């Protein structure tokens, strides 16, 4: 298949340098440090039934990631939001996935000084994206504890959303090699962090638990913690060891790209009775129900 054919199969709309263009035609300059050095940050947002979920919080987090990497754009948060709303409106998509990125940009010839780059905004919208397919969502995912460690936050503050994904990507190869689909990555001390594109929760004796360190603090994770509070369910945010996952009653993943997904197998053994658990189902249903709450989302005006 040619590159052109590969690109043509990608539906969506992009925004670059003040212009809107089909996603298939949106290519970044090869000299952009975002490409050359992973010198880029981003946020991933979703649209459900024509409303953008927690847009303001996503933009606030995107701004914090930019500030953390000493990047800036000649745009206010409201202007960035308007560009994203406009992108969605132009596609007409009611259920969609939005990527917004700020890259360091192109460095002037003869220097490697990142301060001299003009930071660049890239964004695109695609139809809604699920990290797990329908069958996986129904039966639950198979997870393994990765042998690849997560990049420690002492080296790269994982609260900044980043494309330093090689630890996550190599762990995925490990998962597939071992007959699984997803991973959770440990730190050197045996505590666990998160997986390729999601946070992790487990349930033990009715108590919800999620790791507290070396993670990207997901908006979906935040939603789950709020839901637990509303349901008067105890939720512990603390150091978690891999052994606790093996003994869990339920495990689930949490991410913008698909919400809450049950994990029914860990390290080759069933979790609970090997079927998606009732607490996971309750939280998942409540998560989707919240998408109708107008205080948590921004309507897109398609007319
Ligand atoms: C490494 C990582 N952790 C967690 C998450 C979940 O974050 P959110 O719920 O905001 O999508 C993501 C999402 O892309 C991620 O890449």
């Amino acid at each position: 298949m040619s590159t052109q054919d590969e690109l043509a199969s990608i539906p969506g709309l992009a925004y670059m340098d003040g212009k809107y263009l089909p996603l298939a035609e949106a290519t970044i300059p090869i000299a952009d440090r975002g490409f050359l050095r992973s010198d880029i940050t981003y946020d991933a947002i979703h649209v459900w039934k024509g409303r953008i979920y927690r847009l303001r919080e996503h933009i606030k987090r995107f701004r914090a990631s930019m500030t953390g990497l000493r990047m800036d754009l000649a745009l206010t948060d409201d202007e960035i939001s308007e560009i994203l709303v406009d992108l969605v409106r132009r596609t007409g998509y009611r259920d969609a996935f939005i990527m917004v990125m700020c890259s360091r940009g192109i460095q002037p010839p003869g220097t490697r000084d990142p301060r001299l780059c003009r930071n660049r905004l890239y964004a695109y919208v695609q139809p809604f994206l699920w990290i797990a397919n329908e069958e996986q969502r129904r039966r639950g995912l198979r997870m393994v504890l990765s042998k690849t460690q997560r990049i420690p936050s002492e080296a790269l503050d994982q609260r900044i959303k980043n494309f330093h994904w090689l630890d996550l990507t190599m762990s995925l190869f490990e998962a597939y090699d071992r007959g699984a689909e997803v991973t959770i990555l440990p730190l050197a001390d045996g505590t666990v962090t998160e997986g390729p594109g999601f946070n992790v929760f487990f349930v033990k004796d009715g108590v919800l638990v999620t790791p507290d360190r070396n993670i990207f603090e997901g908006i979906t994770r935040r939603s789950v913690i709020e839901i637990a509070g509303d349901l008067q369910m105890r939720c512990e945010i603390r150091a978690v060891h891999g052994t606790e996952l093996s003994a869990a009653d339920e495990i689930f993943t949490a991410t913008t790209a698909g919400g809450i997904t049950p994990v029914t197998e860990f390290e080759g053994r069933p979790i609970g009775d090997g079927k998606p658990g009732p607490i996971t189902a309750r939280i998942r249903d409540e998560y989707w129900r919240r998408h109708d709450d107008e205080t948590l989302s921004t309507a897109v005006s398609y007319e």
Side-chain angles (χ1 to χ4, degrees), residues 39-42 60-72 102 104 119 153 155-162:
D39 193 351
I40 186 165
T41 186
Y42 73 110
K60 193 168 163 212
R61 185 175 70 176
F62 180 50
R63 177 68 67 184
S65 291
M66 280 194 275
T67 304
L69 295 182
R70 301 176 65 162
M71 291 177 180
D72 203 1
C102 179
R104 186 76 61 195
N119 303 158
S153 268
L156 171 64
D157 184 347
Q158 293 292 356
R159 288 169 305 178
I160 297 173
K161 204 160 171 63
N162 64 79

Side-chain angles (χ1 to χ4, degrees), residues 42 44 58 61 150 161 165 168 194-195 197-199 216-221 254-257:
Y42 73 110
H58 276 285
R61 185 175 70 176
R150 184 76 173 123
K161 204 160 171 63
W165 261 61
L168 302 173
E194 59 191 340
F198 53 80
N199 294 118
F216 180 64
E217 294 172 351
I219 300 264
T220 320
R221 176 178 178 270
T255 177
T256 290

Side-chain angles (χ1 to χ4, degrees), residues 53-171:
Y53 189 62
R54 306 191 95 147
L55 176 61
R56 216 168 304 125
E57 291 164 71
H58 276 285
I59 297 297
K60 193 168 163 212
R61 185 175 70 176
F62 180 50
R63 177 68 67 184
S65 291
M66 280 194 275
T67 304
L69 295 182
R70 301 176 65 162
M71 291 177 180
D72 203 1
L73 294 165
L75 291 166
T76 63
D77 288 1
D78 283 348
E79 285 166 337
I80 297 170
S81 299
E82 276 163 31
I83 290 167
L84 301 184
V85 172
D86 200 34
L87 256 177
V88 176
R89 186 185 62 75
R90 286 166 184 256
T91 63
Y93 297 158
R94 263 52 179 184
D95 302 327
F97 183 76
I98 307 171
M99 283 282 278
V100 56
M101 294 155 271
C102 179
S103 115
R104 186 76 61 195
I106 298 162
Q107 60 202 5
T111 172
R112 285 191 156 182
D113 185 343
R115 296 171 304 178
L116 303 178
C117 300
R118 178 177 64 83
N119 303 158
R120 299 165 67 97
L121 178 77
Y122 299 117
Y124 66 78
V125 176
Q126 280 188 303
F128 189 76
L129 211 75
W130 301 87
I131 56 157
N133 64 34
E134 228 180 298
E135 198 247 328
Q136 291 167 341
R137 299 203 294 276
R138 210 175 321 112
R139 72 155 150 83
L141 291 162
R142 302 181 181 117
M143 178 181 276
V144 291
L145 177 60
S146 159
K147 291 191 175 45
T148 307
Q149 286 174 19
R150 184 76 173 123
I151 298 172
S153 268
E154 289 81 1
L156 171 64
D157 184 347
Q158 293 292 356
R159 288 169 305 178
I160 297 173
K161 204 160 171 63
N162 64 79
F163 282 154
H164 295 256
W165 261 61
L166 288 175
D167 52 351
L168 302 173
T169 301
M170 295 322 291
S171 82

Side-chain angles (χ1 to χ4, degrees), residues 3-299:
T3 307
Q4 237 158 12
D5 289 343
E6 278 175 344
L7 286 171
S9 63
I10 304 177
L13 188 69
Y15 175 92
M16 324 177 75
D17 285 331
K19 294 190 195 72
Y20 295 89
L21 67 168
L23 184 52
E25 291 168 23
T27 50
I28 59 163
I30 205 165
D32 189 322
R33 283 178 60 108
F35 172 71
L36 291 176
R37 299 278 187 265
S38 280
D39 193 351
I40 186 165
T41 186
Y42 73 110
D43 219 279
I45 309 167
H46 73 280
V47 186
W48 196 250
K49 295 187 199 157
R51 303 187 69 91
I52 307 183
Y53 189 62
R54 306 191 95 147
L55 176 61
R56 216 168 304 125
E57 291 164 71
H58 276 285
I59 297 297
K60 193 168 163 212
R61 185 175 70 176
F62 180 50
R63 177 68 67 184
S65 291
M66 280 194 275
T67 304
L69 295 182
R70 301 176 65 162
M71 291 177 180
D72 203 1
L73 294 165
L75 291 166
T76 63
D77 288 1
D78 283 348
E79 285 166 337
I80 297 170
S81 299
E82 276 163 31
I83 290 167
L84 301 184
V85 172
D86 200 34
L87 256 177
V88 176
R89 186 185 62 75
R90 286 166 184 256
T91 63
Y93 297 158
R94 263 52 179 184
D95 302 327
F97 183 76
I98 307 171
M99 283 282 278
V100 56
M101 294 155 271
C102 179
S103 115
R104 186 76 61 195
I106 298 162
Q107 60 202 5
T111 172
R112 285 191 156 182
D113 185 343
R115 296 171 304 178
L116 303 178
C117 300
R118 178 177 64 83
N119 303 158
R120 299 165 67 97
L121 178 77
Y122 299 117
Y124 66 78
V125 176
Q126 280 188 303
F128 189 76
L129 211 75
W130 301 87
I131 56 157
N133 64 34
E134 228 180 298
E135 198 247 328
Q136 291 167 341
R137 299 203 294 276
R138 210 175 321 112
R139 72 155 150 83
L141 291 162
R142 302 181 181 117
M143 178 181 276
V144 291
L145 177 60
S146 159
K147 291 191 175 45
T148 307
Q149 286 174 19
R150 184 76 173 123
I151 298 172
S153 268
E154 289 81 1
L156 171 64
D157 184 347
Q158 293 292 356
R159 288 169 305 178
I160 297 173
K161 204 160 171 63
N162 64 79
F163 282 154
H164 295 256
W165 261 61
L166 288 175
D167 52 351
L168 302 173
T169 301
M170 295 322 291
S171 82
L172 271 180
F173 278 97
E174 209 183 302
Y176 294 128
D177 287 349
R178 294 167 63 191
E181 291 131 355
V182 286
T183 55
I184 184 163
L185 285 82
L187 292 171
D189 66 3
T191 58
V192 292
T193 61
E194 59 191 340
F198 53 80
N199 294 118
V200 176
F201 286 80
F202 76 88
V203 181
K204 185 68 184 172
D205 299 328
V207 178
L208 207 55
V209 186
T210 194
D212 63 348
R213 64 200 60 183
N214 215 113
I215 54 156
F216 180 64
E217 294 172 351
I219 300 264
T220 320
R221 176 178 178 270
R222 187 184 302 173
S223 297
V224 171
I225 293 166
E226 288 170 5
I227 290 166
D230 290 353
L231 298 179
Q232 298 186 337
M233 192 182 288
R234 205 163 109 206
C235 181
E236 296 176 356
I237 303 165
R238 60 167 173 81
V240 171
H241 283 265
T243 47
E244 293 184 86
L245 290 170
S246 299
D249 300 327
E250 299 180 33
I251 304 177
F252 61 85
T253 62
T255 177
T256 290
I260 314 300
T261 309
V263 173
T264 46
E265 194 183 290
F266 186 71
E267 292 283 87
R269 284 191 292 275
I271 289 300
D273 61 4
K275 297 199 183 75
I279 293 178
T280 303
R282 189 148 179 230
I283 289 172
R284 184 199 52 209
D285 294 348
E286 183 59 25
Y287 171 75
W288 286 110
R289 206 188 57 72
R290 283 181 178 228
H291 286 65
D292 297 330
D293 180 345
E294 297 193 353
T295 64
L296 289 177
S297 58
T298 306

